[in-house]
Amino acid sequence: MRSRSMGDIIYTGVVYAFLIAVLFATFYPFWNVLVLSVNSASDTIKGGIYFWPRELSFTSYREILTDGEILHSVGVTVARTAIGTPLTVLVISLLAYPLSNRELMLRKPITLYFIFTMYFSGGLIPYYMVLKNLQLIDSFWVFILPGLMNVFYMILIRTYIEGLPGELVESAKIDGANDLHIYFRIILPLTLPVLATIALFTAIGHWNAWFDSYVFTYNPDLKTLQAVLVKILNQYQTGSMVSDAQKMADSAKRLAVSSDTIRMAATMVATLPIVLVYPFLQRYFVKGMTLGAVKS
Amino acid sequence: MNTAAAQAKATLPGNGKSAGIGKRLRQQKMLWLMILPAFVCTLFFSYGPLFGLYMAFINYQPGGSFFTSFFHSEFVGLQWFRYFFTNGDFWIIMRNTLAQSLLSLLFGFPAPIILALAINEVRSGAFKKLFQTVSYLPHFISWVIAANIIITLLSSEGLVNKILMVLHLTDEPIAFFQNGHYFWWIIASSNTWKDMGFNAIMYLAAIAAINPELYEAAKVDGASRMKQMLYVTLPALKPTIVILLILAVGGVLNAGFDQQYLLQNDLVLQYSDVIDTYTYRYGLQNSMFSYASAVGLFKSIVAFVLVLTVNHIAKKVNDQSLF
């Protein structure tokens, strides 16, 4: 059995070549941004930086970390993530427990009430009008309130609860515990793995959200990091229309920092927390995703 | 004694139906309280906009309070829909939406299957984990970061142009973002890059569920590793592939918003504009609220019908196969 045929060796070779190509295509773009962000701006303009910095310089990071706008936007992003994530997980799991109870009156119509929103949406403009009428435009709460509910996550938790041994809840009921008590004492601790998955997804969603801040707020104090990054990106794109002449001018002035290296450094700052967090919770989300896939 | 036992029985799960409605309501008071927050959020943010869809049938003029404008605006029936279908934009928008969706599907659908099959061939657990972990990363970054990265890679100084020039496929750098003809391909490859690793999860889970005896039997029959992949793994994935393909087709109108909005510029608008970016531009940037609402409603209805149809088909296929 151990002998390996020529065919197997070639096949394995092709497989690994493919995987290494994928690995490169996935990882290199991030590496490239990192390298560009730590190369001196005046040198970057000359081009030709692909795999290694030529003139190491952390000026763009120093620039970012002393820039009031970017620092403030990081604060807003952290605030919305820290406030929004636990609230969302709480609201969703509070809903999932009653809906997992087969005795709940009107269980079917209530479930349908939530499921329907997965399939039909009013679209952007009526949604904007709702936000406007709720006085949420240009308010911090526009980052939190509309995201409190997510039907897909609710289904994940509900399925998980339905898979728990029913005796625990039953014996607590016989002991006279009310449902709120059962939820906090029994359901919440037991559903921690799936809640962790959902908290991760929600937190990453908050960290990555740009549209609500970019479109639904005008106050510069409410701009999130991603929204500031969109602004920088837009400036770069309009800039690249007149690029070459501008680049020559920049290069002539020998700027310590160009908008381009700032863009790279800001991109790195926005990416870093995600890179640090996502591998650790991989176990949970793979579990959660499979759970959802099997069910739906 | 008997009544007490009956009462105890009534509160036990499974016997709830024998209790009176009023009693059940009182018993379930806490459960209703727990539903309330989610119910209110959904009412405001999901059903509120549905009522707001009335805007698509009036000539909404901003100014004054919302409700006075809302109820005093002129009712115009299907005028905005007629306008959308006849002003020429409809065909461009639909072409772009479908082209970008279908191209993304063409690349993005097989890619995770191939990746999962390849990862499955890796025998070392550590490498398996490495390949998987790295391939998920792009899924978790925002499109803002992705757009920054993609624009850098495709710039005149970027690696893509460098490679093309080294291979003599082009003599001077291609300005990818100044010619609309590249845009659909950029979107399709960006989508594939971003979600390939994450979408492979489903297939890897299906592969993990394959009975190992099948491989043993194949080995005894002298099947090479490639043959094992072709005749054991791939057939086992077929149900998953079919279901996911059907569901993907149901989402063709959702070509995206972020990627187009962030990667496009005025030079490529003829090719980049999809339904969602169009709605945004007309509604929120040009303040044509009623027109944009109508376009949005058109999309919602078609998407709804598509998804229902596709779910129905998926269910039928599901029942037939051993899924």
XYZ file of all heavy atoms in Angstrom, chain A residues 176-239:
519
model
N -39.834 25.540 39.511
C -40.523 26.816 39.604
C -39.765 27.996 39.046
O -40.149 29.136 39.273
N -38.690 27.739 38.312
C -37.943 28.855 37.729
C -38.737 29.464 36.587
O -39.358 28.737 35.812
C -36.590 28.370 37.225
N -38.733 30.807 36.480
C -39.435 31.403 35.343
C -38.518 31.435 34.123
O -37.312 31.150 34.209
C -39.994 32.786 35.689
C -38.908 33.831 35.837
O -37.930 33.844 35.096
N -39.084 34.714 36.806
N -39.082 31.795 32.966
C -38.351 31.663 31.713
C -37.124 32.559 31.648
O -36.100 32.189 31.088
C -39.286 31.952 30.538
C -40.165 30.756 30.229
O -39.600 29.671 30.022
O -41.403 30.907 30.225
N -37.242 33.770 32.219
C -36.115 34.690 32.197
C -34.948 34.087 32.983
O -33.786 34.131 32.572
C -36.530 36.032 32.804
C -35.692 37.227 32.345
C -35.828 37.431 30.850
C -36.121 38.481 33.087
N -35.302 33.494 34.109
C -34.328 32.835 34.972
C -33.652 31.686 34.213
O -32.439 31.540 34.210
C -35.074 32.305 36.201
C -34.163 31.980 37.330
N -33.759 32.932 38.241
C -33.565 30.813 37.674
C -32.952 32.359 39.104
N -32.818 31.079 38.793
N -34.484 30.876 33.562
C -33.960 29.735 32.802
C -33.026 30.218 31.701
O -31.954 29.659 31.481
C -35.120 28.915 32.186
C -35.925 28.264 33.307
C -34.607 27.876 31.224
C -37.171 27.570 32.827
N -33.443 31.307 31.061
C -32.620 31.840 29.979
C -31.238 32.226 30.500
O -30.218 31.826 29.939
C -33.315 33.045 29.326
C -32.408 33.810 28.400
C -32.121 33.318 27.129
C -31.807 35.002 28.801
C -31.264 33.997 26.295
C -30.961 35.691 27.975
C -30.684 35.182 26.724
O -29.818 35.862 25.900
N -31.194 33.001 31.603
C -29.901 33.504 32.069
C -29.068 32.419 32.751
O -27.852 32.411 32.647
C -30.098 34.692 33.019
C -30.304 35.978 32.272
C -31.539 36.613 32.271
C -29.266 36.554 31.541
C -31.731 37.791 31.564
C -29.453 37.729 30.841
C -30.691 38.349 30.854
N -29.744 31.495 33.471
C -28.997 30.504 34.234
C -28.635 29.258 33.439
O -27.623 28.612 33.698
C -29.807 30.088 35.474
C -29.787 31.107 36.559
C -28.379 31.236 37.129
N -28.160 32.503 37.776
C -28.542 32.797 39.027
N -29.152 31.889 39.742
N -28.310 33.981 39.521
N -29.482 28.905 32.464
C -29.248 27.642 31.757
C -28.911 27.852 30.286
O -27.882 27.399 29.798
C -30.486 26.716 31.883
C -30.737 26.413 33.364
C -30.271 25.427 31.099
C -31.991 25.646 33.625
N -29.780 28.561 29.580
C -29.609 28.690 28.128
C -28.348 29.481 27.780
O -27.532 29.056 26.958
C -30.847 29.366 27.498
C -32.102 28.544 27.789
C -30.650 29.550 26.012
C -32.120 27.181 27.163
N -28.175 30.617 28.413
C -27.045 31.484 28.071
C -25.698 30.763 28.220
O -24.898 30.759 27.282
C -27.103 32.767 28.913
C -26.540 34.021 28.267
C -27.174 34.291 26.914
C -26.750 35.224 29.172
N -25.432 30.128 29.376
C -24.140 29.427 29.492
C -23.987 28.292 28.489
O -22.895 28.080 27.961
C -24.157 28.866 30.924
C -25.215 29.613 31.645
C -26.203 30.084 30.634
N -25.080 27.590 28.213
C -24.971 26.428 27.322
C -24.788 26.835 25.865
O -24.234 26.077 25.071
C -26.216 25.540 27.453
C -26.304 24.713 28.735
C -27.590 23.921 28.767
C -25.109 23.766 28.827
N -25.285 28.013 25.494
C -25.174 28.409 24.091
C -23.921 29.242 23.835
O -23.758 29.769 22.745
C -26.408 29.211 23.632
O -26.637 30.264 24.571
C -27.641 28.356 23.510
N -23.045 29.349 24.825
C -21.858 30.186 24.657
C -21.071 29.950 23.357
O -20.656 30.919 22.726
C -20.931 30.058 25.863
C -21.185 31.076 26.977
C -20.124 30.953 28.055
C -21.204 32.500 26.429
N -20.850 28.685 22.942
C -20.077 28.507 21.707
C -20.717 29.215 20.510
O -20.037 29.915 19.760
C -20.076 26.995 21.501
C -20.355 26.415 22.828
C -21.178 27.411 23.575
N -22.016 29.045 20.343
C -22.656 29.658 19.168
C -22.740 31.178 19.362
O -22.583 31.939 18.412
C -24.034 29.008 18.872
C -25.067 29.351 19.891
C -24.532 29.422 17.492
N -22.919 31.626 20.598
C -22.940 33.071 20.846
C -21.579 33.695 20.535
O -21.497 34.810 20.014
C -23.336 33.375 22.287
C -24.758 32.983 22.703
C -25.084 33.530 24.081
C -25.776 33.472 21.689
N -20.512 32.949 20.842
C -19.167 33.454 20.541
C -18.989 33.623 19.040
O -18.445 34.626 18.572
C -18.116 32.498 21.093
N -19.483 32.629 18.281
C -19.413 32.725 16.817
C -20.105 33.984 16.334
O -19.569 34.754 15.529
C -20.140 31.517 16.174
O -19.703 30.336 16.810
C -19.880 31.462 14.698
N -21.316 34.188 16.841
C -22.118 35.313 16.386
C -21.527 36.634 16.849
O -21.518 37.616 16.107
C -23.569 35.112 16.857
C -24.189 34.034 15.971
C -24.372 36.391 16.775
C -25.376 33.393 16.563
N -20.974 36.643 18.065
C -20.328 37.859 18.547
C -19.145 38.216 17.644
O -18.940 39.385 17.301
C -19.857 37.671 19.987
N -18.399 37.205 17.230
C -17.269 37.463 16.334
C -17.733 38.083 15.031
O -17.215 39.102 14.583
C -16.520 36.154 16.036
C -15.533 36.273 14.868
C -14.251 36.954 15.303
C -15.216 34.923 14.264
N -18.746 37.466 14.428
C -19.246 37.991 13.159
C -19.780 39.417 13.329
O -19.544 40.284 12.495
C -20.360 37.094 12.613
C -19.848 35.976 11.762
C -19.768 34.692 12.259
C -19.426 36.212 10.466
C -19.283 33.660 11.488
C -18.941 35.184 9.682
C -18.864 33.902 10.195
N -20.507 39.637 14.420
C -21.075 40.959 14.650
C -19.975 41.989 14.879
O -20.019 43.099 14.333
C -22.018 40.925 15.869
O -22.898 39.813 15.722
C -22.834 42.189 15.972
N -18.991 41.627 15.682
C -17.905 42.558 15.971
C -17.150 42.910 14.698
O -16.842 44.087 14.433
C -16.957 41.959 17.002
N -16.868 41.903 13.882
C -16.170 42.164 12.624
C -17.043 43.038 11.728
O -16.556 43.944 11.066
C -15.771 40.837 11.938
C -14.629 40.202 12.732
C -15.362 41.063 10.495
C -14.117 38.905 12.181
N -18.356 42.768 11.735
C -19.276 43.600 10.960
C -19.214 45.057 11.396
O -19.196 45.965 10.561
N -19.171 45.284 12.706
C -19.091 46.657 13.214
C -17.770 47.309 12.815
O -17.733 48.459 12.403
C -19.234 46.668 14.737
C -20.659 46.765 15.189
N -21.410 47.893 14.947
C -21.463 45.892 15.830
C -22.627 47.695 15.447
N -22.689 46.500 15.976
N -16.713 46.561 12.978
C -15.391 47.106 12.651
C -15.322 47.473 11.157
O -14.727 48.472 10.774
C -14.300 46.087 13.007
C -12.939 46.602 12.736
C -12.196 46.416 11.602
C -12.154 47.441 13.593
N -11.007 47.069 11.705
C -10.950 47.700 12.921
C -12.352 47.972 14.868
C -9.942 48.495 13.471
C -11.346 48.763 15.426
C -10.159 49.010 14.721
N -15.952 46.638 10.323
C -15.860 46.828 8.877
C -16.896 47.785 8.303
O -16.800 48.171 7.144
C -16.018 45.476 8.173
C -14.750 44.657 8.230
O -13.670 45.197 8.475
N -14.871 43.370 8.015
N -17.920 48.130 9.067
C -19.023 48.914 8.510
C -18.538 50.289 8.071
O -17.811 50.956 8.797
C -20.129 49.046 9.541
N -18.916 50.699 6.894
C -18.523 52.022 6.419
C -19.727 52.798 5.900
O -19.807 54.005 6.061
C -17.477 51.922 5.319
C -17.976 51.205 4.082
C -18.026 49.852 3.896
C -18.517 51.794 2.904
N -18.566 49.571 2.670
C -18.865 50.738 2.035
C -18.732 53.106 2.486
C -19.431 50.956 0.776
C -19.293 53.314 1.233
C -19.634 52.248 0.396
N -20.694 52.071 5.315
C -21.781 52.749 4.612
C -22.617 53.604 5.556
O -22.934 54.755 5.234
C -22.656 51.706 3.907
C -23.686 52.316 3.001
C -23.315 52.824 1.770
C -25.011 52.383 3.388
C -24.255 53.395 0.936
C -25.960 52.952 2.554
C -25.577 53.456 1.329
N -22.966 53.065 6.730
C -23.816 53.837 7.642
C -23.118 55.122 8.090
O -23.734 56.180 8.138
C -24.293 52.986 8.829
C -23.188 52.208 9.506
O -22.009 52.497 9.233
O -23.502 51.307 10.305
N -21.829 55.018 8.382
C -21.110 56.212 8.810
C -20.909 57.178 7.640
O -21.040 58.392 7.782
C -19.755 55.806 9.391
O -18.974 56.937 9.633
N -20.627 56.620 6.472
C -20.308 57.431 5.300
C -21.542 58.172 4.784
O -21.463 59.313 4.357
C -19.755 56.505 4.219
C -19.191 57.192 3.003
C -17.980 57.870 3.069
C -19.854 57.145 1.776
C -17.447 58.493 1.953
C -19.328 57.755 0.661
C -18.134 58.426 0.749
O -17.615 59.043 -0.352
N -22.699 57.514 4.838
C -23.897 58.071 4.220
C -24.876 58.659 5.239
O -25.495 59.681 4.983
C -24.610 56.988 3.376
C -25.923 57.497 2.821
C -23.715 56.540 2.244
N -25.008 58.016 6.396
C -26.046 58.445 7.334
C -25.560 59.426 8.394
O -26.315 59.802 9.280
C -26.686 57.230 8.030
C -27.324 56.264 7.067
C -27.249 54.891 7.278
C -28.010 56.723 5.944
C -27.833 53.999 6.386
C -28.590 55.840 5.055
C -28.503 54.481 5.273
N -24.281 59.765 8.379
C -23.805 60.793 9.315
C -23.046 61.873 8.553
O -22.401 61.594 7.539
C -22.865 60.216 10.398
O -21.656 59.798 9.779
C -23.494 59.060 11.145
N -23.178 63.098 9.023
C -22.453 64.216 8.407
C -21.381 64.747 9.355
O -20.362 65.269 8.948
C -23.412 65.350 8.050
C -24.595 64.876 7.252
C -25.862 64.798 7.808
C -24.421 64.473 5.929
C -26.942 64.339 7.074
C -25.492 64.009 5.190
C -26.756 63.943 5.773
O -27.801 63.477 5.047
N -21.672 64.627 10.649
C -20.769 65.118 11.674
C -19.407 64.421 11.566
O -19.346 63.193 11.649
C -21.418 64.815 13.034
C -20.636 65.399 14.172
O -19.478 65.769 14.003
N -21.266 65.481 15.325
N -18.324 65.166 11.365
C -17.009 64.521 11.261
C -16.648 63.713 12.509
O -15.863 62.774 12.424
C -16.034 65.684 11.068
C -16.828 66.930 11.073
C -18.280 66.618 11.178
N -17.253 64.065 13.640
C -16.955 63.324 14.864
C -17.584 61.939 14.883
O -17.322 61.152 15.782
C -17.475 64.099 16.094
C -16.571 65.278 16.402
O -15.430 65.290 15.894
O -17.010 66.182 17.130
N -18.466 61.654 13.908
C -19.115 60.342 13.885
C -18.559 59.440 12.784
O -19.101 58.383 12.512
C -20.623 60.506 13.686
C -21.389 61.003 14.912
C -22.836 61.271 14.555
C -21.308 59.977 16.036
N -17.474 59.870 12.156
C -16.928 59.050 11.076
C -16.122 57.895 11.652
O -15.284 58.080 12.527
C -16.040 59.913 10.168
C -16.813 60.983 9.409
C -17.857 60.392 8.477
C -18.709 61.474 7.827
N -19.877 60.913 7.135
N -16.396 56.679 11.141
C -15.628 55.517 11.586
C -14.353 55.408 10.744
O -14.218 56.059 9.704
C -16.442 54.229 11.422
O -16.743 54.066 10.041
C -17.737 54.283 12.212
N -13.464 54.556 11.204
C -12.192 54.383 10.499
C -12.400 54.010 9.038
O -11.752 54.552 8.142
C -11.363 53.298 11.215
C -10.036 52.916 10.575
C -9.114 54.112 10.450
C -9.351 51.817 11.372
N -13.352 53.096 8.799
C -13.585 52.661 7.415
C -14.126 53.809 6.570
O -13.784 53.931 5.391
C -14.574 51.493 7.387
C -14.179 50.314 8.248
C -13.186 49.390 7.585
O -12.951 49.478 6.387
N -12.596 48.504 8.356
N -14.961 54.659 7.169
C -15.506 55.784 6.416
C -14.396 56.770 6.063
O -14.370 57.321 4.952
C -16.612 56.476 7.214
N -13.469 57.002 6.990
C -12.332 57.869 6.687
C -11.485 57.256 5.583
O -11.008 57.942 4.674
C -11.485 58.112 7.960
C -10.206 58.844 7.630
C -12.292 58.887 8.991
N -11.360 55.938 5.643
C -10.583 55.232 4.625
C -11.230 55.365 3.239
O -10.529 55.480 2.226
C -10.472 53.753 5.024
C -9.281 52.956 4.519
C -7.979 53.674 4.751
C -9.261 51.590 5.186
N -12.561 55.373 3.195
C -13.258 55.579 1.923
C -12.917 56.969 1.388
O -12.657 57.155 0.200
C -14.789 55.443 2.076
C -15.497 55.793 0.778
C -15.158 54.040 2.500
N -12.887 57.939 2.281
C -12.556 59.306 1.883
C -11.142 59.359 1.279
O -10.930 59.939 0.220
C -12.666 60.234 3.101
C -12.921 61.678 2.728
C -13.065 62.556 3.950
C -11.696 63.008 4.430
N -11.761 63.868 5.621
N -10.210 58.707 1.988
C -8.828 58.681 1.493
C -8.770 57.999 0.129
O -8.105 58.464 -0.798
C -7.913 57.947 2.503
C -7.877 58.713 3.825
C -6.512 57.791 1.949
C -7.068 58.024 4.909
N -9.535 56.895 0.001
C -9.565 56.148 -1.263
C -10.110 57.020 -2.392
O -9.568 57.049 -3.496
C -10.414 54.887 -1.097
C -10.568 53.975 -2.310
C -9.252 53.308 -2.648
C -11.624 52.908 -2.052
N -11.189 57.762 -2.098
C -11.772 58.647 -3.110
C -10.782 59.711 -3.549
O -10.666 60.011 -4.738
C -13.027 59.328 -2.562
C -14.216 58.391 -2.570
O -14.180 57.350 -3.233
N -15.255 58.728 -1.825
N -10.072 60.266 -2.564
C -9.069 61.281 -2.905
C -8.003 60.684 -3.813
O -7.584 61.297 -4.787
C -8.410 61.831 -1.634
C -9.287 62.837 -0.915
C -8.803 63.082 0.494
O -7.846 62.465 0.962
N -9.469 63.995 1.190
N -7.606 59.469 -3.497
C -6.577 58.805 -4.296
C -7.067 58.583 -5.716
O -6.347 58.815 -6.677
C -6.207 57.469 -3.658
C -5.288 56.627 -4.496
C -3.928 56.909 -4.561
C -5.770 55.550 -5.233
C -3.076 56.147 -5.331
C -4.938 54.785 -6.011
C -3.583 55.081 -6.052
O -2.755 54.312 -6.822
N -8.346 58.129 -5.830
C -8.857 57.835 -7.174
C -8.988 59.083 -8.024
O -8.630 59.072 -9.190
C -10.205 57.112 -7.080
C -10.032 55.633 -6.860
C -11.347 54.963 -6.601
O -12.132 55.441 -5.782
N -11.613 53.880 -7.283
N -9.491 60.164 -7.450
C -9.552 61.405 -8.235
C -8.140 61.872 -8.516
O -7.862 62.397 -9.579
C -10.328 62.508 -7.493
O -10.227 62.272 -6.102
C -11.774 62.543 -7.912
N -7.243 61.637 -7.566
C -5.849 62.026 -7.740
C -5.185 61.280 -8.883
O -4.426 61.859 -9.652
